[in-house]
Amino acid sequence: MSHHIIQADNLKYKYPDGRQALNGVTFRITHGESVGIVGANGAGKSTLLMHLAGVLFPDEGEIRIGEVPLTRKTLPLIRQRVGMVFQDPDDQLFMTTVYDDVAFGPRNYKLPEEEVEKRVISSLDTVGILHLKDRPPYKLSGGEKRAAAIATVLAMNPDILVMDEPTSSLDPKSRRRLITLLQGFTHTKIIATHDLDMVFELCERTIVLKDGRVITDGPTEKILCDAELMEECGLELPLGLLGCPVCNAKKTI
Amino acid sequence: MSNPVESLYNIRLLDELAEKKSIIHNVHPLMKVLTTGAYLLVTVSFNKYQLSNMLPLVFYPVIVMSLADIPAIPIFKRVLPALPLITGIGLFNLLYDKSPVLVLPWITIPGGWVSFLSILIKGFLTILAALILIATTGMTKIALALRIMRIPGVFIIQLLLTYRYIAVLLEEAGRIVRAYSLRSAGEKGIKFRDWGPLTGHLLIRSIERAQRVYRSMCCRGFAGEYHTGREKGINTGDILYFAGWSISFLIIRYFNIPAMIGWLMMGVRR
C-alpha cells in the first residue's frame, strides 16, 4: 500500500503578501495512520493541508503521495487519492441537491452513471444521511452539511482523507457523531484542528506546527500531555485532561 | 439595498422549482431552450404597433406554468425589477411618436402610447419566458442543452459559474448588511459614506469565497466542464413539444388571431 504514504520534504511557502506560512516542513505519514496537525492560529495548518491536496504548490520542497511527486501534471491522479474536506462545508456544497453534490466528483472522472449512483448511495449511507439525498444542501443543519461534505469526498474513493477543522461549529452531539464516524474509517487521516480532545480520541500521532515549522512530531499522548510544550505553541492541554472545574481534581492518564 | 437574504431565497426558489416533476420538467432541455428561443424571436419580431397580434403569446407562459405547476406570483415578482428599465426605454416613444394610430370621437390615441405598451408587453413576456425556462429546467440542464448546441464550453462555464456566484455574492452581502444594521443604532439603510468601504469589502469577501468554492471543485476533479449525469435522449414527445409550440408561434406571428375572433363574432352577430 505504498500509494498511501505521504512524504513532505522541506516545504516552504510564502503568500503573495510576503507572509511566510510554511518554513521547512518535513514529515512522513504511512498507510492507515491518523495524524492530528495542531498549532495556534496562523501556524500554517490550513496552508499545509492545501499543499497536500494540491491547491497550493510549495515555493521550495516536495510532496510525494506514494511514489508520485505532487506536480501540476500529476494533479488529477493525486486528487483522486487525496480527498480534502474544507473547513466550511458551504464551500464544498454548491449543487442544487445533496445527490448532485456527492456525484460531482465521480462525474468529473467520467465514471458510468451506474457507478456514480452506487458511490453516491454508499457514501451517503456511510455518513448516515441517505434520507437527505434529494434535499438542497443549504437547507441542511450544520452537522448534516458536514456529513454531506465528507460524503462528497468519500464518493471519490480516496486513500487519504485530509480535513480542515472538521468539528468546528458543530454542536456536541454532531461532533460526537462525526468522531464516531471518523473512527470507523480505515483511510489514512490527516486532521488539522484546534479540537485537541478529538485529536486525543482519533489520532495516534500529532504534529505540532508553530510559525510554519514542525515543532514536534510524535505520539499524541506524549505531546498533548506536555503542558509546557502546549503553552509554548499557543495551545493548552485538552479539556479532557484538565482538572474538574468544580473540585479541581487533576486527571491522570 | 433590498434585502440580500430575500434575494438569495428568490434565486434558490428557481432552483427548487426546477427540481419538480411534471410533464414540462420531463421535456428534453434542448427542446425547451429551442422553444424559448423561438418564443423570444417571435415576440421581438412584432411591429411596434401590432399590439393586438401579440396578445395570444400570453398563452405560452400561462399554459407552461400551469402544466409545470409553477406558482405565478413569485415568478411575476421576479420580472418586476426589470420593468423600470423597460419603462425607461419605452418612455421615449411617448415623447417622440405622436402620430395618431386610433382616432375615436372622444379621444385620439397617439402611436407612442401603443408602441410604449408594446415594448412593455414584449419585455414582460421575454423575461417571463426566460424565468420559466430556468424554473422548469434548471441552470445545469440548460448548460447541457447549450453543449448539445455546440456553444463553446468556456461560455457555458462562465454562465454556470456566474449563476452560482450570484448566490455567493448575496450570502456575503447578507452578512455584511446584517452586521452593519446591528451597529447602525436603528438607522434605516446604509449611509452614503459607508457604501464605498462596504462594496469594497463585499468584493474582496466574495472573491475569497468564490476562490474557496472553486478550489473545492478542483479538488474533486473539476476541469472546466459540468457533468449532469444521466442524460436523457430526445424522444418523439420532445420533438412534438418543440414543433407544436413553433407552429403555434408562427400562426400567432402571421395571423392576427384576436382580430379574426373579432370578425368571427361580428359575423355571427350579423
Side-chain angles (χ1 to χ4, degrees), chain B residues 39 56-67 70 76 124-125 128-129 132 245 249:
Chain B
Y39 182 76
L57 284 174
V58 173
F59 285 110
Y60 170 71
V62 169
I63 292 171
V64 174
M65 280 167 79
S66 55
L67 286 178
I70 302 280
F76 288 159
F124 185 82
L125 290 180
L128 188 62
I132 289 173
W245 278 119
F249 298 154

PDB file of all heavy atoms in Angstrom, chain B residues 39 56-67 70 76 124-125 128-129 132 245 249:
ATOM      1  N   TYR B  39     -39.816  31.444 -29.070  1.00  0.00           N
ATOM      2  CA  TYR B  39     -40.788  32.358 -28.457  1.00  0.00           C
ATOM      3  C   TYR B  39     -40.218  33.780 -28.389  1.00  0.00           C
ATOM      4  O   TYR B  39     -40.892  34.750 -28.739  1.00  0.00           O
ATOM      5  CB  TYR B  39     -41.132  31.844 -27.057  1.00  0.00           C
ATOM      6  CG  TYR B  39     -42.154  32.676 -26.334  1.00  0.00           C
ATOM      7  CD1 TYR B  39     -43.499  32.604 -26.662  1.00  0.00           C
ATOM      8  CD2 TYR B  39     -41.770  33.543 -25.314  1.00  0.00           C
ATOM      9  CE1 TYR B  39     -44.441  33.371 -25.992  1.00  0.00           C
ATOM     10  CE2 TYR B  39     -42.702  34.308 -24.642  1.00  0.00           C
ATOM     11  CZ  TYR B  39     -44.034  34.217 -24.980  1.00  0.00           C
ATOM     12  OH  TYR B  39     -44.969  34.981 -24.320  1.00  0.00           O
ATOM     13  N   PRO B  56     -52.045  36.804 -28.163  1.00  0.00           N
ATOM     14  CA  PRO B  56     -52.115  35.346 -27.922  1.00  0.00           C
ATOM     15  C   PRO B  56     -50.806  34.741 -27.402  1.00  0.00           C
ATOM     16  O   PRO B  56     -50.810  33.620 -26.895  1.00  0.00           O
ATOM     17  CB  PRO B  56     -52.445  34.777 -29.306  1.00  0.00           C
ATOM     18  CG  PRO B  56     -53.041  35.896 -30.061  1.00  0.00           C
ATOM     19  CD  PRO B  56     -52.395  37.136 -29.559  1.00  0.00           C
ATOM     20  N   LEU B  57     -49.702  35.502 -27.501  1.00  0.00           N
ATOM     21  CA  LEU B  57     -48.427  34.978 -26.962  1.00  0.00           C
ATOM     22  C   LEU B  57     -48.508  34.734 -25.462  1.00  0.00           C
ATOM     23  O   LEU B  57     -47.714  33.974 -24.907  1.00  0.00           O
ATOM     24  CB  LEU B  57     -47.301  35.966 -27.257  1.00  0.00           C
ATOM     25  CG  LEU B  57     -46.784  36.002 -28.696  1.00  0.00           C
ATOM     26  CD1 LEU B  57     -45.776  37.118 -28.860  1.00  0.00           C
ATOM     27  CD2 LEU B  57     -46.151  34.668 -29.083  1.00  0.00           C
ATOM     28  N   VAL B  58     -49.445  35.375 -24.823  1.00  0.00           N
ATOM     29  CA  VAL B  58     -49.618  35.211 -23.369  1.00  0.00           C
ATOM     30  C   VAL B  58     -49.942  33.755 -23.031  1.00  0.00           C
ATOM     31  O   VAL B  58     -49.603  33.266 -21.947  1.00  0.00           O
ATOM     32  CB  VAL B  58     -50.766  36.148 -22.890  1.00  0.00           C
ATOM     33  CG1 VAL B  58     -51.105  35.892 -21.446  1.00  0.00           C
ATOM     34  CG2 VAL B  58     -50.376  37.580 -23.114  1.00  0.00           C
ATOM     35  N   PHE B  59     -50.543  33.040 -23.986  1.00  0.00           N
ATOM     36  CA  PHE B  59     -50.940  31.663 -23.699  1.00  0.00           C
ATOM     37  C   PHE B  59     -49.745  30.754 -23.395  1.00  0.00           C
ATOM     38  O   PHE B  59     -49.859  29.819 -22.615  1.00  0.00           O
ATOM     39  CB  PHE B  59     -51.757  31.080 -24.862  1.00  0.00           C
ATOM     40  CG  PHE B  59     -53.149  31.619 -24.890  1.00  0.00           C
ATOM     41  CD1 PHE B  59     -53.561  32.490 -25.880  1.00  0.00           C
ATOM     42  CD2 PHE B  59     -54.056  31.281 -23.885  1.00  0.00           C
ATOM     43  CE1 PHE B  59     -54.842  33.009 -25.898  1.00  0.00           C
ATOM     44  CE2 PHE B  59     -55.340  31.795 -23.886  1.00  0.00           C
ATOM     45  CZ  PHE B  59     -55.736  32.661 -24.900  1.00  0.00           C
ATOM     46  N   TYR B  60     -48.595  31.014 -24.035  1.00  0.00           N
ATOM     47  CA  TYR B  60     -47.425  30.144 -23.811  1.00  0.00           C
ATOM     48  C   TYR B  60     -47.031  30.114 -22.330  1.00  0.00           C
ATOM     49  O   TYR B  60     -47.025  29.029 -21.718  1.00  0.00           O
ATOM     50  CB  TYR B  60     -46.264  30.577 -24.714  1.00  0.00           C
ATOM     51  CG  TYR B  60     -44.962  29.896 -24.386  1.00  0.00           C
ATOM     52  CD1 TYR B  60     -44.767  28.545 -24.659  1.00  0.00           C
ATOM     53  CD2 TYR B  60     -43.918  30.596 -23.767  1.00  0.00           C
ATOM     54  CE1 TYR B  60     -43.574  27.911 -24.339  1.00  0.00           C
ATOM     55  CE2 TYR B  60     -42.728  29.969 -23.445  1.00  0.00           C
ATOM     56  CZ  TYR B  60     -42.551  28.630 -23.731  1.00  0.00           C
ATOM     57  OH  TYR B  60     -41.384  28.008 -23.402  1.00  0.00           O
ATOM     58  N   PRO B  61     -46.702  31.290 -21.717  1.00  0.00           N
ATOM     59  CA  PRO B  61     -46.344  31.213 -20.285  1.00  0.00           C
ATOM     60  C   PRO B  61     -47.464  30.656 -19.418  1.00  0.00           C
ATOM     61  O   PRO B  61     -47.202  29.895 -18.488  1.00  0.00           O
ATOM     62  CB  PRO B  61     -46.009  32.664 -19.903  1.00  0.00           C
ATOM     63  CG  PRO B  61     -46.433  33.512 -21.027  1.00  0.00           C
ATOM     64  CD  PRO B  61     -46.555  32.668 -22.239  1.00  0.00           C
ATOM     65  N   VAL B  62     -48.695  31.023 -19.741  1.00  0.00           N
ATOM     66  CA  VAL B  62     -49.820  30.572 -18.889  1.00  0.00           C
ATOM     67  C   VAL B  62     -49.923  29.043 -18.943  1.00  0.00           C
ATOM     68  O   VAL B  62     -49.991  28.365 -17.898  1.00  0.00           O
ATOM     69  CB  VAL B  62     -51.144  31.233 -19.350  1.00  0.00           C
ATOM     70  CG1 VAL B  62     -52.337  30.581 -18.667  1.00  0.00           C
ATOM     71  CG2 VAL B  62     -51.110  32.724 -19.055  1.00  0.00           C
ATOM     72  N   ILE B  63     -49.881  28.481 -20.162  1.00  0.00           N
ATOM     73  CA  ILE B  63     -50.031  27.021 -20.292  1.00  0.00           C
ATOM     74  C   ILE B  63     -48.834  26.300 -19.656  1.00  0.00           C
ATOM     75  O   ILE B  63     -49.003  25.355 -18.879  1.00  0.00           O
ATOM     76  CB  ILE B  63     -50.176  26.638 -21.784  1.00  0.00           C
ATOM     77  CG1 ILE B  63     -51.511  27.173 -22.312  1.00  0.00           C
ATOM     78  CG2 ILE B  63     -50.074  25.133 -21.981  1.00  0.00           C
ATOM     79  CD1 ILE B  63     -51.688  27.048 -23.804  1.00  0.00           C
ATOM     80  N   VAL B  64     -47.612  26.774 -19.966  1.00  0.00           N
ATOM     81  CA  VAL B  64     -46.420  26.092 -19.424  1.00  0.00           C
ATOM     82  C   VAL B  64     -46.400  26.164 -17.893  1.00  0.00           C
ATOM     83  O   VAL B  64     -46.131  25.170 -17.218  1.00  0.00           O
ATOM     84  CB  VAL B  64     -45.127  26.689 -20.030  1.00  0.00           C
ATOM     85  CG1 VAL B  64     -43.898  26.104 -19.362  1.00  0.00           C
ATOM     86  CG2 VAL B  64     -45.076  26.426 -21.525  1.00  0.00           C
ATOM     87  N   MET B  65     -46.722  27.338 -17.352  1.00  0.00           N
ATOM     88  CA  MET B  65     -46.691  27.480 -15.888  1.00  0.00           C
ATOM     89  C   MET B  65     -47.725  26.585 -15.221  1.00  0.00           C
ATOM     90  O   MET B  65     -47.443  25.990 -14.177  1.00  0.00           O
ATOM     91  CB  MET B  65     -46.918  28.935 -15.485  1.00  0.00           C
ATOM     92  CG  MET B  65     -45.662  29.768 -15.620  1.00  0.00           C
ATOM     93  SD  MET B  65     -45.976  31.515 -15.530  1.00  0.00           S
ATOM     94  CE  MET B  65     -46.146  31.734 -13.814  1.00  0.00           C
ATOM     95  N   SER B  66     -48.901  26.471 -15.844  1.00  0.00           N
ATOM     96  CA  SER B  66     -49.912  25.631 -15.183  1.00  0.00           C
ATOM     97  C   SER B  66     -49.552  24.152 -15.324  1.00  0.00           C
ATOM     98  O   SER B  66     -49.724  23.385 -14.379  1.00  0.00           O
ATOM     99  CB  SER B  66     -51.301  25.931 -15.711  1.00  0.00           C
ATOM    100  OG  SER B  66     -51.302  25.799 -17.104  1.00  0.00           O
ATOM    101  N   LEU B  67     -49.006  23.754 -16.479  1.00  0.00           N
ATOM    102  CA  LEU B  67     -48.628  22.337 -16.630  1.00  0.00           C
ATOM    103  C   LEU B  67     -47.438  21.967 -15.741  1.00  0.00           C
ATOM    104  O   LEU B  67     -47.330  20.843 -15.270  1.00  0.00           O
ATOM    105  CB  LEU B  67     -48.278  22.041 -18.098  1.00  0.00           C
ATOM    106  CG  LEU B  67     -49.442  21.958 -19.081  1.00  0.00           C
ATOM    107  CD1 LEU B  67     -48.942  21.718 -20.492  1.00  0.00           C
ATOM    108  CD2 LEU B  67     -50.407  20.839 -18.682  1.00  0.00           C
ATOM    109  N   ILE B  70     -45.922  25.752 -11.718  1.00  0.00           N
ATOM    110  CA  ILE B  70     -45.049  26.842 -11.271  1.00  0.00           C
ATOM    111  C   ILE B  70     -45.944  27.944 -10.708  1.00  0.00           C
ATOM    112  O   ILE B  70     -46.844  28.404 -11.398  1.00  0.00           O
ATOM    113  CB  ILE B  70     -44.240  27.423 -12.470  1.00  0.00           C
ATOM    114  CG1 ILE B  70     -43.406  26.334 -13.155  1.00  0.00           C
ATOM    115  CG2 ILE B  70     -43.404  28.618 -12.070  1.00  0.00           C
ATOM    116  CD1 ILE B  70     -42.145  25.995 -12.480  1.00  0.00           C
ATOM    117  N   PHE B  76     -43.844  36.296 -11.336  1.00  0.00           N
ATOM    118  CA  PHE B  76     -44.149  37.664 -11.768  1.00  0.00           C
ATOM    119  C   PHE B  76     -43.316  38.661 -10.968  1.00  0.00           C
ATOM    120  O   PHE B  76     -42.850  39.648 -11.500  1.00  0.00           O
ATOM    121  CB  PHE B  76     -45.646  37.978 -11.577  1.00  0.00           C
ATOM    122  CG  PHE B  76     -46.537  37.276 -12.570  1.00  0.00           C
ATOM    123  CD1 PHE B  76     -47.884  37.087 -12.318  1.00  0.00           C
ATOM    124  CD2 PHE B  76     -46.028  36.807 -13.776  1.00  0.00           C
ATOM    125  CE1 PHE B  76     -48.707  36.443 -13.236  1.00  0.00           C
ATOM    126  CE2 PHE B  76     -46.838  36.160 -14.700  1.00  0.00           C
ATOM    127  CZ  PHE B  76     -48.174  35.966 -14.429  1.00  0.00           C
ATOM    128  N   PHE B 124     -41.954  42.194 -20.736  1.00  0.00           N
ATOM    129  CA  PHE B 124     -42.535  41.336 -19.707  1.00  0.00           C
ATOM    130  C   PHE B 124     -42.541  39.878 -20.174  1.00  0.00           C
ATOM    131  O   PHE B 124     -42.106  38.973 -19.455  1.00  0.00           O
ATOM    132  CB  PHE B 124     -43.957  41.818 -19.392  1.00  0.00           C
ATOM    133  CG  PHE B 124     -44.600  41.069 -18.264  1.00  0.00           C
ATOM    134  CD1 PHE B 124     -44.326  41.418 -16.952  1.00  0.00           C
ATOM    135  CD2 PHE B 124     -45.456  40.013 -18.511  1.00  0.00           C
ATOM    136  CE1 PHE B 124     -44.912  40.727 -15.904  1.00  0.00           C
ATOM    137  CE2 PHE B 124     -46.042  39.312 -17.469  1.00  0.00           C
ATOM    138  CZ  PHE B 124     -45.772  39.679 -16.155  1.00  0.00           C
ATOM    139  N   LEU B 125     -43.005  39.651 -21.400  1.00  0.00           N
ATOM    140  CA  LEU B 125     -43.140  38.267 -21.888  1.00  0.00           C
ATOM    141  C   LEU B 125     -41.779  37.591 -22.080  1.00  0.00           C
ATOM    142  O   LEU B 125     -41.622  36.410 -21.770  1.00  0.00           O
ATOM    143  CB  LEU B 125     -43.929  38.250 -23.208  1.00  0.00           C
ATOM    144  CG  LEU B 125     -45.413  38.572 -23.106  1.00  0.00           C
ATOM    145  CD1 LEU B 125     -46.067  38.520 -24.475  1.00  0.00           C
ATOM    146  CD2 LEU B 125     -46.124  37.617 -22.152  1.00  0.00           C
ATOM    147  N   LEU B 128     -40.307  36.797 -18.694  1.00  0.00           N
ATOM    148  CA  LEU B 128     -41.117  35.722 -18.113  1.00  0.00           C
ATOM    149  C   LEU B 128     -40.742  34.372 -18.737  1.00  0.00           C
ATOM    150  O   LEU B 128     -40.562  33.372 -18.031  1.00  0.00           O
ATOM    151  CB  LEU B 128     -42.599  36.035 -18.366  1.00  0.00           C
ATOM    152  CG  LEU B 128     -43.614  35.142 -17.676  1.00  0.00           C
ATOM    153  CD1 LEU B 128     -43.481  35.250 -16.170  1.00  0.00           C
ATOM    154  CD2 LEU B 128     -45.036  35.519 -18.090  1.00  0.00           C
ATOM    155  N   ALA B 129     -40.563  34.366 -20.062  1.00  0.00           N
ATOM    156  CA  ALA B 129     -40.219  33.110 -20.747  1.00  0.00           C
ATOM    157  C   ALA B 129     -38.858  32.590 -20.278  1.00  0.00           C
ATOM    158  O   ALA B 129     -38.685  31.384 -20.057  1.00  0.00           O
ATOM    159  CB  ALA B 129     -40.201  33.336 -22.253  1.00  0.00           C
ATOM    160  N   ILE B 132     -39.265  31.177 -16.815  1.00  0.00           N
ATOM    161  CA  ILE B 132     -39.972  29.887 -16.862  1.00  0.00           C
ATOM    162  C   ILE B 132     -39.005  28.793 -17.314  1.00  0.00           C
ATOM    163  O   ILE B 132     -39.025  27.673 -16.801  1.00  0.00           O
ATOM    164  CB  ILE B 132     -41.196  29.977 -17.793  1.00  0.00           C
ATOM    165  CG1 ILE B 132     -42.268  30.851 -17.141  1.00  0.00           C
ATOM    166  CG2 ILE B 132     -41.766  28.605 -18.107  1.00  0.00           C
ATOM    167  CD1 ILE B 132     -43.448  31.144 -18.035  1.00  0.00           C
ATOM    168  N   TRP B 245     -45.243  24.001 -30.362  1.00  0.00           N
ATOM    169  CA  TRP B 245     -45.144  25.402 -29.964  1.00  0.00           C
ATOM    170  C   TRP B 245     -44.672  26.274 -31.126  1.00  0.00           C
ATOM    171  O   TRP B 245     -45.178  27.380 -31.329  1.00  0.00           O
ATOM    172  CB  TRP B 245     -44.198  25.565 -28.773  1.00  0.00           C
ATOM    173  CG  TRP B 245     -44.842  25.274 -27.444  1.00  0.00           C
ATOM    174  CD1 TRP B 245     -44.487  24.318 -26.552  1.00  0.00           C
ATOM    175  CD2 TRP B 245     -45.961  25.950 -26.865  1.00  0.00           C
ATOM    176  NE1 TRP B 245     -45.307  24.350 -25.455  1.00  0.00           N
ATOM    177  CE2 TRP B 245     -46.224  25.351 -25.619  1.00  0.00           C
ATOM    178  CE3 TRP B 245     -46.784  26.999 -27.278  1.00  0.00           C
ATOM    179  CZ2 TRP B 245     -47.259  25.766 -24.781  1.00  0.00           C
ATOM    180  CZ3 TRP B 245     -47.808  27.417 -26.446  1.00  0.00           C
ATOM    181  CH2 TRP B 245     -48.044  26.799 -25.217  1.00  0.00           C
ATOM    182  N   PHE B 249     -46.493  29.489 -32.551  1.00  0.00           N
ATOM    183  CA  PHE B 249     -45.887  30.828 -32.596  1.00  0.00           C
ATOM    184  C   PHE B 249     -45.972  31.416 -34.001  1.00  0.00           C
ATOM    185  O   PHE B 249     -46.226  32.610 -34.175  1.00  0.00           O
ATOM    186  CB  PHE B 249     -44.417  30.779 -32.155  1.00  0.00           C
ATOM    187  CG  PHE B 249     -44.206  30.307 -30.734  1.00  0.00           C
ATOM    188  CD1 PHE B 249     -43.008  29.698 -30.348  1.00  0.00           C
ATOM    189  CD2 PHE B 249     -45.200  30.463 -29.774  1.00  0.00           C
ATOM    190  CE1 PHE B 249     -42.816  29.258 -29.063  1.00  0.00           C
ATOM    191  CE2 PHE B 249     -45.016  30.027 -28.468  1.00  0.00           C
ATOM    192  CZ  PHE B 249     -43.824  29.424 -28.115  1.00  0.00           C
TER     193      PHE B 249
END
